[in-house]
Amino acid sequence: VEFEELKKRILTLDPELTPSIIQNLSKYLPPAEQMRQLVLFRNSYDTLSDSEQFCCVVGSIPRLSQRLNSMTVLSKFEDDIEDVLPDIEAVITACEELRSKAFCTVLKLVLLLGNFMNAGSRNQQSFGFELNFLTKLNNTKSVDNSMNLMHFLEITVQSEHPEAANFISDLSHVPRATKVSEDSVQKCLTGLQKNVAQVQDELKHHKPEEACDTFAPTMEKFVNQAQSRLDVIHVRFDKMREMIKDTTAFFCVDLKKQPIEEMFTDISVFMDNYQVAKKENEKRQEAEAKKKRQLEIEKEKQRKKAAKFNPKVQLVDMNAEGDQQGVLDGLMEALSSGSAFNKTRASQATGQRKKPRSSVRRTKGDDGHRVSVPCDGASQAEALLESLRDSSTA
């Protein structure tokens, strides 16, 4: 950019002059006294070096350093506001979220668990606890170290108070609030107010010497708008301080010993640990369910294997009520085919009595004799006929 063009952009407050460009110009400018001396060599412009020509042209702008500082304030003001205002709103909202019913329910459970564990000690029947205790729940573990108090708290919340199970979603602004310090916000607002006051003061000393100089109207508009924005932000900041005071009183936190950002940090750590415990509980439950299914499958395999090599035949109870399905059908089929008589004759010819292929249960028939009958259809019928023939022969 030509030096004259750069001078014109500075006079017109060209938006293309970014904060970084303006800051670099301010940083590398020679002292004001040297700039005034170089301007005196304007008539010997062609004999000057590039740096001297730059100072000769740009240095002719009245109160150049103060103008550049005002331009920096103008270009950075909105970004500075966007940095501080969300922080203020995050703290206000986080303080409101900590009063949620779900979170208070979880705190009650923590107190209940603590009193139960401290039964018989000097801390039994406590009325409250410090919020930093929430970060220590992981330290209390079971005998086998498979679970800690945080795991048990998550299980208790899920089973006994499911309405509070999603309390973490109610505290969405707490993580952002951990990064906000009341002192840092105060310092930032003080700096913004000071910058606007400097611009306002520069307007009192400004004397336009060229027609293209738009410093005065642009900066007057900026000062009015900036002051209105700052007034609104100061109101929100006062609201933030009030909310911090009420919240710390509600949780019995001493701000002299524990800043508000530390309180939010303790709660945020508790939220992270709770989510970790929830995931670990889910994995444990899935592993237990999988193990249970595997045991059931293994038992079923063992049962089938035992049934294959050691079949158990259920026997017919002659006195049992209800339908003995298949017995009469098998009996009629054996009588009509004559197979029952053939097997009996073969048995008598060899002088041996056919023994049942499996263990049987004896019961009484209608004539008072003991009868042994397998329960499957055809074999039941054959066994029944054999028993009847044995009884008649005897």
Side-chain angles (χ1 to χ4, degrees):
V1 179
E2 297 292 336
F3 298 146
E4 290 291 340
E5 177 66 20
L6 179 60
K7 176 183 177 181
K8 182 178 179 181
R9 290 187 178 186
I10 294 174
L11 290 173
T12 58
L13 278 66
D14 190 344
E16 292 186 4
L17 294 177
T18 62
S20 61
I21 295 176
I22 298 172
Q23 289 174 357
N24 286 331
L25 286 174
S26 300
K27 183 178 179 180
Y28 295 108
L29 279 178
E33 182 61 27
Q34 292 183 11
M35 294 283 286
R36 284 193 293 268
Q37 292 178 1
L38 287 170
V39 172
L40 298 176
F41 290 94
R42 185 178 302 174
N43 295 331
S44 304
Y45 182 81
D46 293 337
T47 63
L48 300 175
S49 63
D50 289 343
S51 60
E52 290 172 338
Q53 289 179 357
F54 169 79
C55 293
C56 183
V57 174
V58 178
S60 63
I61 300 175
R63 298 178 65 84
L64 176 61
S65 178
Q66 291 81 355
R67 176 188 284 263
L68 291 176
N69 289 336
S70 298
M71 292 174 65
T72 301
V73 172
L74 172 64
S75 60
K76 293 180 62 179
F77 183 79
E78 287 299 326
D79 292 338
D80 293 337
I81 291 295
E82 291 301 321
D83 287 340
V84 67
L85 184 57
D87 289 344
I88 294 174
E89 297 298 336
V91 173
I92 293 174
T93 307
C95 290
E96 295 173 347
E97 291 174 347
L98 292 181
R99 302 289 188 95
S100 71
K101 184 177 180 181
F103 181 59
C104 290
T105 299
V106 174
L107 294 181
K108 290 178 183 178
L109 284 176
V110 173
L111 178 60
L112 178 63
L113 294 175
N115 282 331
F116 179 80
M117 296 177 62
N118 292 327
S121 68
R122 62 183 181 86
N123 293 326
Q124 65 178 352
Q125 299 301 320
S126 297
F127 293 99
F129 58 89
E130 295 182 357
L131 288 178
N132 59 8
F133 174 71
L134 295 174
T135 64
K136 303 175 183 178
L137 297 180
N138 290 346
N139 298 336
T140 304
K141 300 182 179 180
S142 59
V143 177
D144 58 357
N145 288 330
S146 62
M147 293 182 62
N148 56 48
L149 191 56
M150 185 68 77
H151 292 121
F152 185 77
L153 174 64
E154 195 275 333
I155 293 173
T156 304
V157 171
Q158 291 286 350
S159 59
E160 302 298 331
H161 297 277
E163 73 282 358
N166 295 323
F167 75 94
I168 290 180
S169 62
D170 296 339
L171 308 179
S172 58
H173 290 82
V174 170
R176 174 72 182 267
T178 62
K179 304 176 183 179
V180 182
S181 168
E182 182 179 351
D183 293 338
S184 64
V185 174
Q186 177 71 70
K187 184 178 179 180
C188 183
L189 291 179
T190 301
L192 288 173
Q193 189 65 61
K194 182 179 178 180
N195 291 338
V196 173
Q198 288 177 348
V199 175
Q200 193 171 13
D201 183 66
E202 182 61 23
L203 283 170
K204 297 177 182 179
H205 298 87
H206 178 68
K207 295 179 180 180
E209 295 184 359
E210 298 188 28
C212 64
D213 188 353
T214 60
F215 181 84
T218 302
M219 288 301 175
E220 286 177 356
K221 181 180 179 180
F222 164 71
V223 168
N224 293 332
Q225 293 177 345
Q227 191 59 55
S228 298
R229 295 288 304 277
L230 286 175
D231 290 342
V232 174
I233 293 176
H234 276 293
V235 172
R236 298 304 293 169
F237 179 64
D238 292 338
K239 175 68 173 179
M240 185 190 89
R241 299 177 69 177
E242 180 183 352
M243 291 296 296
I244 290 174
K245 183 178 180 181
D246 292 344
T247 302
T248 52
F250 180 79
F251 290 105
C252 300
V253 175
D254 187 355
L255 285 174
K256 295 180 180 179
K257 297 180 180 179
Q258 184 182 28
I260 186 64
E261 59 268 25
E262 290 186 10
M263 185 193 80
F264 284 127
T265 299
D266 289 338
I267 297 174
S268 181
V269 170
F270 166 71
M271 293 164 57
D272 293 339
N273 292 341
Y274 185 90
Q275 289 180 313
V276 171
K278 182 178 180 180
K279 292 180 181 178
E280 292 176 348
N281 282 338
E282 290 174 351
K283 290 182 179 179
R284 185 184 301 107
Q285 292 172 359
E286 291 176 359
E288 291 176 352
K290 182 177 179 180
K291 184 177 180 180
K292 183 178 179 181
R293 289 194 300 268
Q294 290 176 345
L295 289 175
E296 291 176 351
I297 293 173
E298 188 64 26
K299 287 182 179 179
E300 182 65 18
K301 289 181 179 179
Q302 294 294 336
R303 188 189 67 79
K304 291 181 178 180
K305 184 177 180 181
K308 180 178 180 181
F309 291 100
N310 299 298
K312 296 181 179 180
V313 181
Q314 293 183 349
L315 306 179
V316 175
D317 185 356
M318 300 298 293
N319 296 321
E321 297 180 358
D323 182 20
Q324 300 292 313
Q325 185 176 4
V327 175
L328 293 179
D329 293 339
L331 178 59
M332 295 300 296
E333 182 180 354
L335 290 174
S336 61
S337 63
S339 60
F341 301 104
N342 294 334
K343 291 180 180 179
T344 302
R345 295 191 186 97
S347 177
Q348 290 176 351
T350 57
Q352 296 180 350
R353 178 178 299 176
K354 184 176 179 58
K355 295 182 179 180
R357 288 177 294 177
S358 60
S359 60
V360 296
R361 179 164 55 91
R362 296 186 176 275
T363 183
K364 291 183 178 182
D366 295 336
D367 57 355
H369 290 86
R370 303 289 291 182
V371 180
S372 300
V373 185
C375 66
D376 58 308
S379 59
Q380 290 176 357
E382 293 176 9
L384 180 60
L385 285 172
E386 285 190 26
S387 298
L388 293 174
R389 291 194 200 92
D390 294 341
S391 299
S392 61
T393 304

